[in-house]
Amino acid sequence: MMQPEGSLMSKLTHINEDGDAVMVDVSEKDVTERIATARGSVIMAPDTLALIKQGGVKKGDVLSIAQLAGIMGAKRTPDLIPLCHPLSLTSVKVSLSLDEERSAVDIEATCKLKGRTGVEMEALTAVSTAALTVYDMVKAADKSMQIQDIRLIYKTGGKSGTYQA
């Protein structure tokens, strides 16, 4: 099923001209430093946030475990997202902070490498994995939590240059 020139489908890099899924060939791209940062939040009841802050969660230190989970998630991105390239990440930083006014755990992840393809998916996966870990660790206290606003906020490197949200 050939896609018309200029159609949305013809602009998608993981779909070929026949509409089949493909892993993008990056062999001709230049090796550059690539950095991506993503953010997201877990919104919860104030009592749940207080439980995290006080270290009263039976499963352990929520923020430390979620931070580690985010780093591990970034490293496992190609196992989770079809067609993502396995990458040699040079750095993964995940930070979690408490926002008492919004009753939220805010998460930010930055991934880096020198390579032929970007690290946006790794940063987004790190935030998603950390958020899911926060949810898992305190779901017994608060099943109404919401994971919100996971998004790319910055990327640089490669042909498309810099993006800043």
Side-chain angles (χ1 to χ4, degrees):
M1 174 174 86
M2 295 284 288
Q3 301 299 321
E5 186 70 29
S7 73
L8 176 60
M9 291 294 284
S10 71
K11 296 176 184 178
L12 298 175
T13 59
H14 288 80
I15 306 291
N16 70 12
E17 61 276 353
D18 295 325
D20 298 324
V22 295
M23 187 172 188
V24 175
D25 182 354
V26 296
S27 60
E28 299 301 317
K29 289 185 170 185
D30 291 333
V31 173
T32 62
E33 182 174 62
R34 296 166 186 260
I35 302 169
T37 300
R39 281 192 191 141
S41 300
V42 184
I43 310 299
M44 61 195 64
D47 289 347
T48 308
L49 190 71
L51 191 64
I52 292 170
K53 184 177 181 180
Q54 296 161 3
V57 178
K58 290 180 184 176
K59 290 185 177 183
D61 180 345
V62 173
L63 301 182
S64 293
I65 293 170
Q67 180 183 40
L68 181 58
I71 293 167
M72 293 172 65
K75 293 168 58 173
R76 299 300 299 255
T77 300
D79 295 331
L80 300 169
I81 310 296
L83 309 177
C84 277
H85 291 84
L87 302 177
S88 295
L89 296 169
T90 57
S91 175
V92 178
K93 294 181 180 167
V94 178
S95 63
L96 292 93
S97 60
L98 304 180
D99 183 331
E100 293 185 56
E101 188 174 303
R102 291 176 30 251
S103 192
V105 174
D106 292 323
I107 306 162
E108 182 172 297
T110 299
C111 296
K112 295 181 183 181
L113 63 66
K114 289 189 179 171
R116 298 179 193 280
T117 190
V119 290
E120 298 95 294
M121 293 309 300
E122 287 71 16
L124 289 161
T125 301
V127 171
S128 300
T129 305
L132 289 167
T133 301
V134 169
Y135 186 98
D136 180 56
M137 292 193 69
V138 294
K139 69 181 182 268
D142 186 358
K143 290 180 179 28
S144 67
M145 289 177 286
Q146 296 179 25
I147 296 172
Q148 296 183 351
D149 301 324
I150 296 175
R151 67 213 177 275
L152 181 70
I153 61 164
Y154 176 80
K155 79 154 265 328
T156 190
K159 188 170 67 172
S160 65
T162 300
Y163 165 80
Q164 180 84 44

